[in-house]
Amino acid sequence: MQAAVLSAHPPELEVVELPEPDPGPGEVGLRVTGCGICGSDLHVAANIGGPGTVLGHEIAGVVDELGSDVTGVRVGDVVAVRPLVGCGVCQYCRAGRQDHCAKFALIGMQRPGGFAQRTTASAAELFGLPSGVRPQDHAVIEPFAVARRALRRVAVTPGEFVIVLGAGPIGLAITHWARALGAGKIVVSDPLAHRRALALELGADAAVEPGEVADAAGDGAPVVVECTGKPRLLDHAMQLAAVDGRVGVVGVCMAHDSFLPWWGLNKELDIRFSLYYGRDDFTDTIEAFDDGRLRPDGLVTETIDLAALPERFARLASDSDAGKVIVTP
């Protein structure tokens, strides 16, 4: 089969021929129908992944092979994948928190991912996609599950004012989910005009430049979600939050950061970090796509094949013009 792997000169990708993967016990083989390119793929390629790594964790596909001990799944099932792998028996796995298992692996990092014609996944981590979920939305189930988790962590309620810092794909997914959940006023901040325009298409009431968001915040928002991962943005989010507000942190900041604790003390803020997702985040997301509450038209700005992936991946590191780019192997 063909796959795009990290070359001998990461973060460059190259398309190579690899053996067909065989599903192990409790696993299935998948024909990948779509895999989104995530910002974390760019980070892994540049900083963590070694040559030969098959990236891609935003996976949708069709089951085409069953390993031993698989029940409840059939060949031909159309599925999205929660790309978490654990031992299956520790306290974290039993609680659905495989990301804290001592044997945790992420499909697309420690295990081959979706930038390939086929991959494997645990049968227990597949989520069937009903006919009401449009095919063009199959590969965005995973990032929308990330967004659902983030809004669950800050407990957004109908009618609440929400500020979203950053209109990349996750910020846009959070904006669209917040609207579906009945949030009141939604203000999105981003320096790029085309991303602000996308935010308005996906449910924001206002989309402003970063220098204007403080005015838009007024006396503060009950919910502020930081989606950029840039240093100093947590401090900024705390300043924008209302008294007794909740600050959600979804952006992945890999640098040491600082903030003024007084903002949190004076307003008695809750700060909730969010990474990965639970099973309920996937089921909620799929139900919302199925019944039409989520219709993120405009989010996917490009669909490419494997042959085009190495060049497009390289450009994404410095190209902010794209929304979500989907690979269809």
Side-chain angles (χ1 to χ4, degrees), residues 161-165 175 185-189 204-208 212-213 216-217:
F161 177 18
V162 177
I163 293 176
V164 180
L165 301 181
T175 299
K185 183 179 179 182
I186 302 173
V187 172
V188 177
S189 167
D205 296 288
V208 300
E212 301 170 342
V213 68

Side-chain angles (χ1 to χ4, degrees), residues 3-170:
V5 304
L6 279 176
S7 74
H9 306 285
E12 295 178 5
L13 301 183
E14 59 181 346
V15 177
V16 300
E17 288 287 334
L18 292 179
E20 297 276 345
D22 293 321
E27 296 181 343
V28 304
L30 289 174
R31 174 172 58 83
V32 179
T33 56
C35 186
I37 301 175
C38 178
S40 63
D41 292 316
L42 301 173
H43 174 76
V44 169
N47 298 286
I48 302 173
T53 300
V54 182
L55 299 171
H57 58 271
E58 299 180 358
I59 302 167
V62 176
V63 176
D64 66 1
E65 186 178 359
L66 303 181
S68 61
D69 303 322
V70 170
T71 59
V73 180
R74 297 177 298 179
V75 170
D77 284 352
V78 179
V79 298
V81 179
R82 190 172 78 133
L84 310 182
V85 180
C87 71
V89 297
C90 71
Q91 61 173 325
Y92 295 114
C93 286
R94 292 197 306 271
R97 299 300 306 274
Q98 289 90 331
D99 50 309
H100 293 283
C101 174
K103 296 182 179 180
F104 171 66
L106 180 70
I107 294 175
M109 188 183 301
Q110 293 88 359
R111 288 191 42 161
F115 292 170
Q117 292 176 319
R118 293 186 73 247
T119 191
T120 59
S122 168
E125 298 301 335
L126 304 182
F127 294 81
L129 298 177
S131 59
V133 182
R134 305 177 303 178
Q136 63 263 39
D137 295 327
H138 287 184
V140 299
I141 297 297
E142 192 271 356
F144 271 84
V146 171
R148 182 66 186 97
R149 173 71 170 177
L151 292 174
R152 193 186 306 278
R153 292 280 290 163
V154 294
V156 66
T157 59
E160 283 195 307
F161 177 18
V162 177
I163 293 176
V164 180
L165 301 181
I170 293 298

